[in-house]
Amino acid sequence: MELPAFIPSISGYSPAYFPAKLKPHLPGKLFGAPARMLPATVNASIAARNVRLRENFAFTVSAGLGGKGDRETGLELQNGNGRWVHFVGIGGCGLSALAKLALKRGFQVSGSDIARSSFMDGLCQEGAHLCIGHSASNIQRDNGLIYPDSVVVSSAIPLDNSEVLHAKSVGVPVYKRDYWLGKLTENHNLIAVSGSHGKSTTASMLAYVLKAMGDDITALIGAHVPQFPEGNIIAGNGQNFVLEADEYDGCFLGVSPYIAVVTNLDWEHVDQFPDEDAVETTFRRFLKQIKTGGHLILFGDSPGARSLLSCGEGAVRSDKSRGTIPVSRSKNRYRITTYGSSITNAWSASGIHPNSKGGSDYTLFYEGLPVADISLQIPGVYNVLNSMAVIATIEALFGDQIRIIDLVNRAKSHLRNFAGVSRRFEKVGSVCGCDIYDDYAHHPTEIRAVLQAARAVFPFKTLTVVFQPHTYSRLAALIDNFATALRGADRVVVTAVYAAREKDVWGVSGRDLASRLSGIESEYVPFLDNVVDKLVQEISEDPHREILVFTLGAGDITTLGPKLLSRLKSVKHAKFELLKMREPIPEC
């Protein structure tokens, strides 16, 4: 179907002219709303914009339908040349990284979100124009004469967002994050790190090691990485691109990786996936995106991940003598390498034990033979597995150029120096015999893994967990699993649910979870400030008690640790001053 030429003042076309499925992707003013007439005195920049709009109109329609209209117009994201892109939901970890990379590549960047986040601080310093709150005025300049060249929308933004609707009404191309990522990475050797858990740490560790080994990579991470100068990105110029590939809203289906990593598969994002089968189906679709001649790195000990190798997809099951196997479908399109604790995987680990740095040491095996002793400064068996995924990926990238033993020896020194990701087993501070840590864990599998690591690092401390459930849907679906996982602590305080994007239509609360925690000390304290008050009183009354406090959750629970630390330090200082006053004054 030939589309009509488009200019900002277009009007008069009948809705019947367009197939029904196209209507949601066309400017709303084509269907009953009055056309917004631009002033007659259109300057040169607006005239140039009209040319771009005409070029992009068919492309925008095709992009919305998953078509390939971009092949003709070429959405150029490698060099911004001063073009303006606006990000709706810029405060989130995903879009903030895209915005920061756009700044590095010469775009003018603006964005909006409903509340300020820590990810926005660096963007302001780099020159981005940010707005708190959503409004049509956020995407226009000079009284509506100037609009962005593109608008990029977070998965969390509803379709009726005022900025999105206004952009569509004036013909500005609107892209979801998945499509933007696809165009951003299409000319690179994309390494997409996916999985229900561990994506951020694995992708960060991989990017850190590759960069340290001299690879001029680009990386986009959905978390703050203290060792990255830019926080959550690395803006390189080489061919390799490391991406934390998120399954939420099917975002990772927009990219075509050369190497795909699947760290595990679990029922997560229950608001998106009704059951684990739905998660598996989405990951199967993701694997179909792997480029011919590419590679899949898979956690072989995960039943969910291994289900992706089932014969239902035409894949050959793992050869027990080798972890690298051909795939029969699509004429051996890509190879598969597995890793895990079991020796049946290509890469495996043995002798895992805590070390003096608070991390883990282990012996790495390749196809049943010991290759190297690896040392990490980040704790937990799950980070041992993450490091093996990194090594397997590096071998897939460079194994045809460098001997495996040499690759591993080059990588292991950098693995030793990787310090981790913010909010992953992150130490807040110590005072009054109390160590305070914070972790993003918000799923039963993650909680179980973190508490096991905490027990290994601090075997003699009393473990108190303050858990803030994240979203009502997740709590309602997994409440029994949460209860089982939290029983790994000595004491649990459950707070009110951090609702995020939801309303409570499930009739569930933190109190329901606390009541299920039989066998351990537990209570429901809804407000974070009240939790701080309670812990300060208890800990300060017995300052010699060895206690470990972990705050867990994906919401604002991260603010609790610093408040608790500050209050305990104040109490300690006050007690010290009181003791000094009670000391006898020495005689002259």
Side-chain angles (χ1 to χ4, degrees):
M1 180 189 73
E2 181 180 355
L3 293 170
F6 178 76
I7 57 173
S9 59
I10 188 169
S11 61
Y13 288 97
S14 167
Y17 184 85
F18 300 95
K21 66 178 181 179
L22 291 184
K23 293 177 184 177
H25 304 280
L26 297 172
K29 61 191 171 189
L30 294 179
F31 302 107
R36 178 187 178 281
M37 302 295 291
L38 293 181
T41 56
V42 179
N43 59 28
S45 64
I46 295 297
R49 185 173 306 281
N50 288 349
V51 173
R52 288 195 295 272
L53 288 172
R54 282 194 293 270
E55 291 174 345
N56 285 333
F57 183 56
F59 159 58
T60 305
V61 175
S62 297
L65 296 174
K68 297 182 179 179
D70 58 286
R71 300 295 183 190
E72 290 72 40
T73 60
L75 179 63
E76 172 55 49
L77 300 184
Q78 309 309 312
N79 191 332
N81 290 320
R83 285 173 292 153
W84 175 18
V85 57
H86 180 82
F87 293 88
V88 186
I90 199 168
C93 56
L95 244 62
S96 65
L98 288 179
K100 193 170 292 184
L101 187 58
L103 283 166
K104 293 293 181 183
R105 293 188 170 178
F107 285 86
Q108 296 181 56
V109 169
S110 64
S112 60
D113 218 316
I114 56 173
R116 192 170 190 86
S117 77
S118 59
F119 289 107
M120 297 168 76
D121 296 337
L123 290 169
C124 285
Q125 295 169 6
E126 294 279 349
H129 177 73
L130 305 182
C131 302
I132 303 302
H134 297 298
S135 168
S137 63
N138 293 341
I139 63 162
Q140 58 188 39
R141 297 173 182 167
D142 296 345
N143 295 319
L145 288 176
I146 305 294
Y147 288 92
D149 292 275
S150 303
V151 170
V152 183
V153 185
S154 163
S155 301
I157 298 299
L159 295 176
D160 61 353
N161 176 272
S162 58
E163 294 172 22
V164 173
L165 293 177
H166 189 56
K168 289 181 177 179
S169 75
V170 295
V172 175
V174 177
Y175 306 101
K176 290 190 68 175
R177 181 166 61 114
D178 58 345
Y179 194 83
W180 190 264
L181 279 171
K183 295 303 297 177
L184 184 66
T185 60
E186 66 178 354
N187 295 320
H188 291 81
N189 293 327
L190 176 62
I191 306 152
V193 181
S194 70
S196 301
H197 318 290
K199 294 184 295 291
S200 296
T201 300
T202 305
S204 303
M205 189 187 298
L206 174 62
Y208 174 83
V209 172
L210 286 174
K211 182 71 173 176
M213 290 174 66
D215 193 17
D216 189 17
I217 65 160
T218 299
L220 290 178
I221 310 297
H224 178 76
V225 187
Q227 289 172 298
F228 289 2
E230 301 296 337
N232 55 350
I233 72 165
I234 297 176
N237 296 303
Q239 277 298 105
N240 293 327
F241 194 124
V242 176
L243 172 69
E244 179 182 343
D246 186 8
E247 75 273 21
Y248 188 81
D249 198 29
C251 184
F252 64 2
L253 299 178
V255 301
S256 297
Y258 170 62
I259 297 177
V261 180
V262 179
T263 59
N264 43 56
L265 194 149
D266 204 350
W267 187 23
E268 167 64 313
H269 300 307
V270 300
D271 57 331
Q272 291 276 315
F273 304 110
D275 50 35
E276 192 165 343
D277 287 342
V279 179
E280 181 181 322
T281 297
T282 301
F283 272 83
R284 286 183 185 275
R285 291 177 61 195
F286 171 61
L287 298 192
K288 290 179 180 179
Q289 300 287 103
I290 299 174
K291 291 181 178 178
T292 299
H295 212 119
L296 168 62
I297 311 297
L298 186 86
F299 176 37
D301 294 348
S302 165
R306 287 192 66 83
S307 70
L308 300 176
L309 305 181
S310 69
C311 294
E313 279 291 301
V316 178
R317 290 187 180 274
S318 179
D319 183 333
K320 292 184 179 180
S321 65
R322 293 181 61 86
T324 304
I325 59 177
V327 178
S328 61
R329 70 171 183 268
S330 303
K331 299 180 181 179
N332 300 329
R333 266 198 331 111
Y334 58 81
R335 293 186 299 153
I336 299 176
T337 297
T338 62
Y339 68 93
S341 298
S342 170
I343 200 70
T344 59
N345 296 292
W347 297 93
S348 58
S350 179
I352 302 171
H353 61 277
N355 60 32
S356 59
K357 296 178 294 185
S360 298
D361 290 346
Y362 68 96
T363 300
L364 176 69
F365 286 74
Y366 179 67
E367 296 191 347
L369 299 175
V371 175
D373 291 325
I374 307 294
S375 183
L376 307 173
Q377 62 173 289
I378 50 178
V381 173
Y382 57 95
N383 278 320
V384 168
L385 296 171
N386 293 339
S387 70
M388 283 196 290
V390 168
I391 291 170
T393 302
I394 292 173
E395 193 276 330
L397 270 175
F398 304 115
D400 58 343
Q401 306 167 33
I402 306 173
R403 289 192 316 155
I404 286 177
I405 191 72
D406 294 330
L407 269 178
V408 173
N409 284 331
R410 288 176 59 181
K412 74 175 189 178
S413 62
H414 305 304
L415 284 170
R416 181 187 300 117
N417 295 327
F418 180 67
V421 179
S422 293
R423 297 220 60 214
R424 272 65 172 182
F425 214 103
E426 183 176 18
K427 185 171 185 177
V428 178
S430 300
V431 63
C432 300
C434 174
D435 291 312
I436 304 171
Y437 281 76
D438 181 46
D439 198 280
Y440 189 69
H442 58 284
H443 184 280
T445 300
E446 297 164 354
I447 292 171
R448 188 179 300 109
V450 168
L451 297 189
Q452 287 173 351
R455 291 294 195 189
V457 177
F458 300 99
F460 305 113
K461 284 188 174 258
T462 302
L463 176 54
T464 294
V465 167
V466 183
F467 175 59
Q468 181 186 59
H470 185 264
T471 70
Y472 295 103
S473 59
R474 184 183 283 110
L475 179 60
L478 304 175
I479 190 166
D480 290 331
N481 303 79
F482 276 119
T484 301
L486 287 166
R487 288 193 185 99
D490 296 303
R491 179 194 180 196
V492 177
V493 178
V494 184
T495 75
V497 175
Y498 188 85
R501 52 195 171 270
E502 294 182 345
K503 295 181 179 179
D504 184 15
V505 298
W506 292 268
V508 68
S509 75
R511 186 187 301 277
D512 299 314
L513 175 57
S515 67
R516 279 174 162 79
L517 290 170
S518 57
I520 63 170
E521 183 182 348
S522 63
E523 60 184 314
Y524 173 63
V525 182
F527 302 110
L528 299 185
D529 286 343
N530 292 347
V531 176
V532 173
D533 292 340
K534 176 179 284 291
L535 292 178
V536 167
Q537 181 179 353
E538 295 173 357
I539 295 170
S540 59
E541 285 177 354
D542 186 5
H544 301 295
R545 180 185 178 192
E546 290 294 308
I547 186 171
L548 174 64
V549 175
F550 252 91
T551 57
L552 303 179
D556 59 359
I557 184 71
T558 190
T559 63
L560 190 148
K563 289 179 181 178
L564 176 60
L565 181 66
S566 177
R567 290 274 302 278
L568 286 173
K569 285 182 175 179
S570 297
V571 170
K572 181 180 179 181
H573 179 73
K575 287 187 175 182
F576 177 74
E577 292 297 321
L578 183 61
L579 286 173
K580 285 202 304 182
M581 292 175 60
R582 290 177 178 175
E583 290 178 358
I585 300 175
E587 296 182 0
C588 296

